Amino acid sequence: MRKLETPFLASALFMMSVAYAAEESPPRLLTEPVATDVMVRVVAHGAMVLGDEVGGARVTITDVATGRLLASGLQLGEPGDQNQIMRTPRLMEEPRYSTRPSGSFHATLHLDRPTLVEIAAQGPLSYPSAVQRASKTVLLIPGRDLTQDGIVLDLNGYIVQIENPPPGESLMAKDDVKLKASVRMLSGAPVRPHGDWDSRKATIYGEVLIGDRVIERLQMLYAGEKSSFEAPFFVPSPTEAPHGIALRVVAADGAGANFGMAQANYPVLPEQLRPAKK
């Protein structure tokens, strides 16, 4: 019986080795450019994909040797499945962002040789004050497509917006005003206590400035609404702030490597201009 098995085993091993060699054999010599698909995903660091909600991201692919722009365009689409991205355990090689529909940028390049490229992205495009940029250098091989998650570019930061008082609005001297701001991940995901993006891990504070001088620092607390934080402050007099004041809100998570800021200017009116009570 053992003699009968030996030829069969040898034949099977031979066929497997042929198949493996065929799979791993180098591509044929190129006589013309070969279409090569490149998938890029721009994501908020520690969060979701930059999609339509935040204006997406701009992506460029540049030949490092020549400086020639090979492809450019916008990443648009959905931010992805929060449960899959944030809560599902996976092996390192398993895709994170492409298991469900999510925003991406796709380009087909025609390459006639291995090409070193720089892939760069900036976003979120709907929030210019929060825009960040990231890039990677990647060697592309003709005919070897980049699929699934593709090249993932992380953008670090927060979208911080001052909501009250509205930027540029005149403030009355000596008034007690509530500073209110929203803080979100660059993908638009909400920052709040006990959430996937836990505000307790970040320091969120406000500052009142006269010129470049900080005259008061405010501890901003969660306002009970999605991504909203607030703190009260007193408006200084026009004598103290003849050119008005600035309000600054900072969100900082050193461990998570995300930082964001918003700032707005406000004229200060003297108390004498306060409308008389009827």
Side-chain angles (χ1 to χ4, degrees):
M1 180 66 69
R2 183 169 298 176
K3 290 183 179 180
L4 292 175
E5 289 178 350
T6 302
F8 175 79
L9 180 60
S11 176
L13 290 173
F14 174 76
M15 294 301 293
M16 289 173 62
S17 65
V18 169
Y20 179 79
E23 181 180 348
E24 294 299 318
S25 61
R28 57 184 175 80
L29 293 176
L30 298 180
T31 57
E32 58 185 23
V34 176
T36 306
D37 290 339
V38 179
M39 181 73 71
V40 180
R41 274 189 172 81
V42 187
V43 306
H45 181 65
M48 312 280 282
V49 177
L50 273 68
D52 298 342
E53 181 183 350
V54 295
R58 184 173 302 280
V59 179
T60 59
I61 303 177
T62 306
D63 187 322
V64 171
T66 65
R68 184 166 67 95
L69 182 65
L70 302 179
S72 66
L74 298 180
Q75 168 178 289
L76 295 172
E78 301 178 32
D81 185 286
Q82 183 173 339
N83 189 57
Q84 287 288 324
I85 293 173
M86 299 302 301
R87 305 178 189 137
T88 302
R90 58 177 48 79
L91 298 175
M92 182 174 290
E93 67 271 15
E94 291 182 309
R96 175 182 297 271
Y97 304 101
S98 56
T99 54
R100 297 285 190 276
S102 65
S104 64
F105 171 78
H106 173 263
T108 300
L109 307 180
H110 293 83
L111 305 176
D112 58 6
R113 66 187 186 284
T115 304
L116 188 66
V117 301
E118 180 190 57
I119 302 177
Q122 59 180 11
L125 297 180
S126 290
Y127 299 92
S129 63
V131 165
Q132 301 291 337
R133 185 182 187 277
S135 65
K136 284 184 179 179
T137 303
V138 181
L139 181 66
L140 300 180
I141 305 299
R144 300 289 184 171
D145 298 334
L146 295 175
T147 59
Q148 294 187 338
D149 283 355
I151 298 298
V152 177
L153 295 175
D154 265 16
L155 299 182
N156 299 65
Y158 289 114
I159 298 172
V160 181
Q161 292 180 285
I162 296 176
E163 298 176 346
N164 189 72
E169 180 179 83
S170 296
L171 303 180
M172 192 66 64
K174 304 301 182 181
D175 267 2
D176 186 4
V177 178
K178 183 173 289 185
L179 171 60
K180 191 172 185 179
S182 64
V183 180
R184 294 180 291 159
M185 307 302 292
L186 292 185
S187 60
V191 174
R192 61 180 179 83
H194 306 286
D196 281 335
W197 303 280
D198 195 341
S199 61
R200 297 175 303 164
K201 297 179 180 179
T203 301
I204 301 173
Y205 62 91
E207 292 177 329
V208 182
L209 298 92
I210 297 177
D212 294 329
R213 180 168 57 93
V214 177
I215 63 169
E216 187 177 5
R217 177 166 288 187
L218 314 168
Q219 181 183 2
M220 301 193 69
L221 302 177
Y222 185 59
E225 304 171 17
K226 185 171 65 174
S227 302
S228 188
F229 300 83
E230 62 186 18
F233 71 97
F234 284 101
V235 180
S237 69
T239 304
E240 299 171 296
H243 302 294
I245 65 170
L247 296 176
R248 178 191 294 158
V249 176
V250 175
D253 177 8
N258 283 314
F259 304 89
M261 183 186 77
Q263 184 166 318
N265 297 317
Y266 302 86
V268 175
L269 301 178
E271 291 181 277
Q272 292 87 333
L273 296 182
R274 186 187 305 275
K277 294 183 179 180
K278 295 182 179 180

